[in-house]
């Protein structure tokens, strides 16, 4: 196990500078990533894959970029709301006794379960996330934004190539991610990872081990809104690390899985799509920044 961990760390170090940096005292901690290549998409033999993950192909990240070490937290978003007056509307898809339903009263301060200041903010739309990025850009003079789907996966893998950055052993999931575990089984879903992570809903940022690049919660805890307009598969779209864009795009891409997801979605390759205006108790966001 020690040799495997060392090999993964060396692969990650070749693609990123693992020494975090900040643009200001209350700005997100960042890790810089250098250009590189990786294989995106699932193998046809993967029983958990669906049609959105095909065909498998090579992506060449052409430009360096920085990725936030953690997702934007409740405290981070509260500071943004106080500074700008941006107030997301009520109405969020939450887990109820009758399953997932749109709760017209739920919002980022009350997503249907208790959260602390260091938990990832959820019940925010893609538009809320991009507004936060614009505020951070204005505040720092740097170009903050949502990551592209390719950048997200490149950073999430951290130089690894397997189903998840911790390998193929499902029992290790709870060491690295807040997932649908044995505690949540039959409360949230009928299938669970064969481990216990200690949280029924979201967990504080950086509660688990980081990936080889030094990023926390890249898998599990909350799905992450990304810059890309949704494409139903990989037959089309950029191969250079840039996001897929379209005029009047209404549906956006999310990656990463969440606290309520079963083993199938708890895979780096798993993809999700939602209307940009939707707010969900399982979805938040993480910032990227253009390199200087």
């Amino acid at each position: 196990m020690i040799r495997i961990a060392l090999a993964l760390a060396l692969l990650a170090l070749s693609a990123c500078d693992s020494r975090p940096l900040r643009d200001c005292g209350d700005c997100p901690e960042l890790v810089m990533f250098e250009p590189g290549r990786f294989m995106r998409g699932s193998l046809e033999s993967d029983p958990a894959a669906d049609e959105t993950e095909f065909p498998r192909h090579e992506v060449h990240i052409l430009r360096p970029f920085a990725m936030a070490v953690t997702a934007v937290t409740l405290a981070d978003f509260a500071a943004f709301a106080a500074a700008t007056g941006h107030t997301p509307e009520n109405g969020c898809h939450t887990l109820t006794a009758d399953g997932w339903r749109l709760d017209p009263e739920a919002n980022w301060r009350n997503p249907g379960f208790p959260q602390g200041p260091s938990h990832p903010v959820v019940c925010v739309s893609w538009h809320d996330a991009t507004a936060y990025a614009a505020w951070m850009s204005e505040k720092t003079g740097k170009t903050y934004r949502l990551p592209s789907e390719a950048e997200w996966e490149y950073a999430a893998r951290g130089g690894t190539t397997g189903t998840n950055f911790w390998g193929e052993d499902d029992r290790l999931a709870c060491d690295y991610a807040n997932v649908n575990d044995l505690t949540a089984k039959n409360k949230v879903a009928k299938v669970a990872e064969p481990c216990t992570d200690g949280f029924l809903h979201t967990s504080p940022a950086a509660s688990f081990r980081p990936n080889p690049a030094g990023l926390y919660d890249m898998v599990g805890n909350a799905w992450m809104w990304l810059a890309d307009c949704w494409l139903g598969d990989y037959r089309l779209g950029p191969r250079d690390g840039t996001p897929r864009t379209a005029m009047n795009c209404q549906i956006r891409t999310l990656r990463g899985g969440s606290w309520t997801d079963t083993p199938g979605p708890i895979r780096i390759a798993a993809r999700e799509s939602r209307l940009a205006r939707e707010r969900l108790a399982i979805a938040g966001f993480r910032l990227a920044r253009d390199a200087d």
Side-chain angles (χ1 to χ4, degrees):
M1 290 295 293
I2 294 176
R3 290 182 178 179
I4 294 173
L6 179 59
L8 294 178
L10 290 173
L11 281 170
L13 287 173
S14 68
C16 73
D17 184 344
S18 59
R19 297 168 298 176
L21 60 95
R22 289 183 190 271
D23 292 323
C24 67
D26 57 354
C27 291
E29 195 172 35
L30 303 168
V31 169
M32 292 297 302
F33 286 83
E34 297 299 324
R37 301 173 186 268
F38 73 98
M39 294 301 296
R40 180 169 65 173
S42 295
L43 296 170
E44 295 283 349
S45 58
D46 186 345
D50 61 40
E51 65 275 6
T52 70
E53 300 168 24
F54 303 129
R56 187 169 170 83
H57 61 281
E58 184 178 71
V59 174
H60 186 188
I61 303 291
L62 297 179
R63 297 180 179 180
F65 66 95
M67 184 76 76
V69 170
T70 65
V72 172
T73 66
L74 194 64
D76 295 333
F77 199 83
F80 158 66
T84 65
H86 182 97
T87 305
E89 297 177 359
N90 283 359
C92 180
H93 292 271
T94 62
L95 187 62
T96 71
D98 298 320
W100 287 96
R101 297 289 186 273
L102 177 61
D103 183 343
E105 300 302 319
N107 57 44
W108 65 278
R109 292 187 183 276
N110 179 27
F113 49 84
Q115 283 192 304
S118 61
H119 285 234
V121 66
V122 294
C123 288
V124 289
S125 69
W126 184 88
H127 300 295
D128 298 325
T130 54
Y132 184 98
W135 172 67
M136 188 60 65
S137 297
E138 182 178 1
K139 179 177 178 177
T140 62
K142 309 284 187 178
T143 304
Y144 281 84
R145 52 183 174 76
L146 295 183
S148 72
E149 186 175 10
E151 288 172 335
W152 180 89
E153 183 165 340
Y154 186 61
R157 291 197 172 282
T160 65
T161 59
T163 302
N164 283 303
F165 56 78
W166 58 79
E168 308 302 318
D169 188 345
D170 291 342
R171 294 170 299 177
L172 295 178
C174 293
D175 291 340
Y176 293 90
N178 178 6
V179 297
N180 192 75
D181 64 346
L182 294 176
T183 301
K185 187 178 181 182
N186 295 323
K187 295 180 181 179
V188 178
K190 297 298 183 182
V191 182
E193 299 286 358
C195 58
T196 300
D197 60 36
F199 297 95
L200 183 58
H201 301 107
T202 58
S203 54
S207 294
F208 299 88
R209 295 180 184 178
N211 79 346
L215 306 180
Y216 293 90
D217 302 313
M218 290 300 284
V219 174
N221 215 7
W223 287 90
M224 297 286 106
W225 285 110
L226 300 175
D228 296 64
C229 191
W230 173 252
L231 277 176
D233 56 41
Y234 288 135
R235 288 177 296 175
L236 302 174
R239 298 285 196 269
D240 59 1
T242 57
R244 194 262 179 169
T245 58
M247 292 292 292
N248 301 316
C249 176
Q250 301 298 313
I251 303 176
R252 297 288 174 170
T253 304
L254 302 96
R255 297 288 296 269
S258 76
W259 53 270
T260 187
D261 284 309
T262 53
I266 297 299
R267 300 157 43 254
I268 288 179
R271 308 174 71 216
E272 182 60 87
S273 64
R274 292 286 178 166
L275 291 170
R277 67 173 183 270
E278 286 188 271
R279 298 180 174 91
L280 306 100
I282 56 172
F285 65 103
R286 174 189 305 258
L287 293 181
R289 175 170 75 70
D290 288 350
D292 293 326

